[in-house]
Structures are given as structure tokens and as C-alpha cells.
Amino acid sequence: MNTIGSRILNLRADKDIKQSDLANQIGITKSMLSKYENDINIPKADILSKIADVLDTTTDYLLCRTNNSAPLSKRKRNGNLRNIVLADFFHH
């Protein structure tokens, strides 16, 4: 099952970023990040945005609104952004 926590954890592992390093980069404790990754707590919007930036993804991906983890900036290069966003929206 995809959750915010599992997506954060998987992206962090894929990018070989230590939990403590990600926590430091976004200005939270390692303990708080662990709670996000284990779906104990849900990050507030500002923290979620920082996580997405560091992990080079979108908040929509972390929120399970799309299955495309590529950031919008990379998706623009491969096609019309409007069509990509609509495709992601209707994929659910």
C-alpha cells in the first residue's frame, strides 16, 4: 500500500539519503522524520513541500495523488505540461 510515509522512505532510500541528513536539510528532527516515514504523523504542508524539494519530486506524488514521482520541471521537457497534469489527474 502506498502511503506518504512509504513514498518518503522509498525515495530517500533510492537517492541514498540518510534519515538524519534529510531531517537536517528540511529542519526537523530525525525522530519526527521517522514518525512521517512510519505513518505515525503526517507532515504539514510546509514540511511536505521541503521534503518534495529535497527528494526531487512533487507533493502530489508524496500525497499519492499521482504515481509519477518525476518533478514537474522534468515532465515539462517530455511533453505538454497541461496534458501531463490532466493525465495524472485522471489516472486515479
Side-chain angles (χ1 to χ4, degrees):
M1 177 180 183
N2 281 323
T3 64
I4 294 173
S6 67
R7 289 189 172 200
I8 293 169
L9 178 64
N10 291 334
L11 283 173
R12 183 176 60 76
D14 288 346
K15 297 179 183 300
D16 199 28
I17 299 173
K18 293 180 184 175
Q19 195 176 48
S20 58
D21 291 339
L22 178 57
N24 287 335
Q25 289 181 30
I26 61 174
I28 63 171
T29 65
K30 181 181 170 184
S31 172
M32 184 57 69
L33 180 57
S34 176
K35 289 178 181 179
Y36 296 153
E37 289 182 349
N38 289 293
D39 297 306
I40 296 169
N41 289 350
I42 298 173
K44 292 184 179 182
D46 61 326
I47 299 297
L48 189 70
S49 181
K50 290 177 184 179
I51 292 170
D53 288 345
V54 173
L55 295 178
D56 197 28
T57 192
T58 63
T59 54
D60 277 352
Y61 176 75
L62 295 177
L63 292 168
C64 304
R65 292 173 45 114
T66 179
N67 289 321
N68 189 341
S69 65
L72 289 176
S73 62
K74 289 184 181 173
R75 287 192 255 170
K76 281 188 213 180
R77 292 183 209 137
N78 298 326
N80 181 308
L81 178 61
R82 182 174 181 272
N83 291 338
I84 292 167
V85 171
L86 288 173
D88 283 348
F89 179 77
F90 289 111
H91 183 263
H92 295 291

